[in-house]
Amino acid sequence: EQSAVGWMKEKGWIDSTFRELLKRNDVELASKKVPFQEDDDPWILRVDNFLTAEECDALLQTRLEWEDSPALSAGGDFEESVKVWRTSQSAYCNTTNNEWDGSSSSSCDPINSVKQKIQSLLSIPSSSIEPIEFVRYGPHQSAGLHDDMPVHDEWMAAGPRALSFVVSLVEDGVSLGFPDLEWTSIRPAKGQLLIWPNVWSLDVTKGRDDMQHEILPSSGQENTGVILLQTWVRLFDYEAAKIR
């Protein structure tokens, strides 16, 4: 019987930890399917004011070099995974050189602060957190139905993407739709964090089949676009696995 796997200290860590988070005044359940009915029910938590308005504005002022976002996974099998295209742009911070990609004049301190907040919220090792991705959606841009755990993740040295994190940096942002959760649709406010699991709490090596979601376009931010931060926490040490 599975007990500790990776940084998760015990079987059922996701359920027990998310229940503890819900006791906080700034955390609420965002999914329509209410957990507590049985183990491994789906969770989407919303954390208010995870970033302050000032922190969001500072991140929005950073110069970035945007590129077309890569395709997403929509399941499949070991032989061939199904790809879903998104019409957004992405950018990363080059924390190794302590510079923003495309700019030699700006520090990575703001994004490192976001990573530290994620680490502190769930008491997880920073080395398991993937580089934080900036994603920009212009008018009418979207992402099709996909999941955050590609089919080959179960065999990755760093393990699967156990948890997903999304933070909106603007007020009138895109919506995230989860069809299998009674068509839950969530539009996070500026500075709000969304968290959900991509694996089962009772077997964190296996991907969930009910957390597929899509990004629906925003009606606002016509000039600057809608900008999100997103990242994922791997089950094992992502940084060490990448070096190998």
Side-chain angles (χ1 to χ4, degrees), residues 15-16 18-23 29 33-43 45:
D15 285 342
S16 61
F18 278 34
R19 288 190 180 108
E20 284 299 312
L21 284 176
L22 269 179
K23 295 177 182 178
L29 188 68
K33 278 191 173 181
V34 181
F36 310 127
Q37 306 301 317
E38 57 184 64
D39 288 331
D40 263 332
D41 273 352
W43 295 90
L45 296 188

Side-chain angles (χ1 to χ4, degrees), residues 28 30-31 44-48 140-141 166-178 183-194 196 214-222 226 228:
E28 65 177 347
S31 49
I44 307 174
L45 296 188
R46 177 164 40 205
V47 183
D48 287 333
H140 312 299
Q141 291 188 325
V166 171
V167 184
S168 178
L169 298 183
V170 298
E171 193 61 52
D172 186 15
V174 294
S175 296
L176 285 78
F178 294 79
W183 291 98
T184 294
S185 180
I186 308 165
R187 176 170 289 177
K190 184 174 182 175
Q192 279 187 340
L193 169 70
L194 299 181
W196 65 86
E214 56 190 340
I215 307 296
L216 307 174
S218 166
S219 59
Q221 303 294 327
E222 296 292 320
V226 172
L228 305 173

Side-chain angles (χ1 to χ4, degrees), residues 15-151:
D15 285 342
S16 61
T17 300
F18 278 34
R19 288 190 180 108
E20 284 299 312
L21 284 176
L22 269 179
K23 295 177 182 178
R24 295 174 38 150
N25 292 331
D26 60 344
V27 178
E28 65 177 347
L29 188 68
S31 49
K32 289 182 180 178
K33 278 191 173 181
V34 181
F36 310 127
Q37 306 301 317
E38 57 184 64
D39 288 331
D40 263 332
D41 273 352
W43 295 90
I44 307 174
L45 296 188
R46 177 164 40 205
V47 183
D48 287 333
N49 300 312
F50 182 74
L51 296 181
T52 66
E54 292 75 17
E55 288 172 321
C56 291
D57 292 342
L59 287 161
L60 288 171
Q61 292 301 315
T62 307
R63 289 193 298 124
L64 294 168
E65 186 170 308
W66 298 95
E67 298 181 353
D68 290 343
S69 299
L72 301 166
S73 172
D77 54 32
F78 183 79
E79 296 296 330
E80 183 176 4
S81 60
V82 178
K83 296 296 183 182
V84 170
W85 294 101
R86 48 179 172 166
T87 53
S88 57
Q89 292 81 45
S90 298
Y92 289 89
C93 172
N94 186 349
T95 54
T96 301
N97 298 323
N98 200 35
E99 298 173 354
W100 293 98
D101 288 347
S103 171
S104 59
S105 61
S106 298
S107 168
C108 274
D109 287 347
I111 206 67
N112 287 334
S113 177
V114 175
K115 189 173 182 179
Q116 290 167 5
K117 285 189 173 188
I118 292 174
Q119 178 186 7
S120 176
L121 181 68
L122 294 174
S123 299
I124 56 180
S126 61
S127 60
S128 291
I129 303 174
E130 289 191 36
I132 295 176
E133 179 184 13
F134 284 75
V135 187
R136 180 175 64 191
Y137 289 92
H140 312 299
Q141 291 188 325
S142 61
L145 191 63
H146 65 279
D147 55 58
D148 285 346
M149 183 177 160
V151 65

Side-chain angles (χ1 to χ4, degrees), residues 144-166:
L145 191 63
H146 65 279
D147 55 58
D148 285 346
M149 183 177 160
V151 65
H152 297 97
D153 263 20
E154 295 178 14
W155 296 276
M156 297 286 286
R161 286 176 164 174
L163 301 172
S164 291
F165 297 81
V166 171

